[in-house]
Amino acid sequence: MRHFFRTQVQPDEVVSVADEFFPTIGLTRTAAESRARLFKGELGTLKLTVKKEGGHYTFVEVHTDQMGESRLDRNTKKFFLQLHKIDDPRHKLEPSY
């Protein structure tokens, strides 16, 4: 599955947050480039790429080898929430019901 997120967090910080976040869910970093990471584990395989876009935006793209809404995909969304909290610490997560 493919996920993407745009943020104002700098690319190096996005990669740093990924290096801290994904091992906590049981994934091991198997490959590392300056703005790309490959993680593997029991939940599946995840490839993360980060690039500057439009001046002050950072485009974060994640590909997983899972079909549908897997645990790996839900954790990818939690990772994006981590980035959003860094970008806007005042934001509070509220239910929409």
Side-chain angles (χ1 to χ4, degrees):
M1 210 161 177
R2 177 181 180 252
H3 304 275
F4 63 91
F5 185 72
R6 285 182 177 87
T7 182
Q8 292 184 356
V9 178
Q10 293 299 311
D12 294 337
E13 189 172 0
V14 170
V15 171
S16 176
V17 171
D19 287 341
E20 293 174 12
F21 179 81
F22 289 112
T24 65
I25 63 168
L27 298 179
T28 305
R29 187 175 76 189
T30 58
E33 297 175 19
S34 63
R35 292 190 176 171
R37 295 289 190 265
L38 182 66
F39 295 94
K40 291 185 179 182
E42 289 185 17
L43 297 179
T45 303
L46 178 141
K47 182 178 181 186
L48 174 120
T49 55
V50 180
K51 62 182 176 181
K52 289 298 281 182
E53 178 183 72
H56 60 281
Y57 285 109
T58 300
F59 184 77
V60 182
E61 187 172 12
V62 174
H63 289 271
T64 67
D65 65 347
Q66 303 297 303
M67 299 296 287
E69 184 70 19
S70 69
R71 285 182 55 205
L72 184 56
D73 294 311
R74 287 193 305 270
N75 280 298
T76 297
K77 292 176 185 179
K78 288 180 183 179
F79 167 68
F80 291 155
L81 181 61
Q82 292 276 334
L83 296 177
H84 183 67
K85 287 180 183 179
I86 292 169
D87 191 27
D88 184 9
R90 297 174 292 126
H91 180 80
K92 291 185 180 180
L93 187 61
E94 297 178 2
S96 61
Y97 51 87

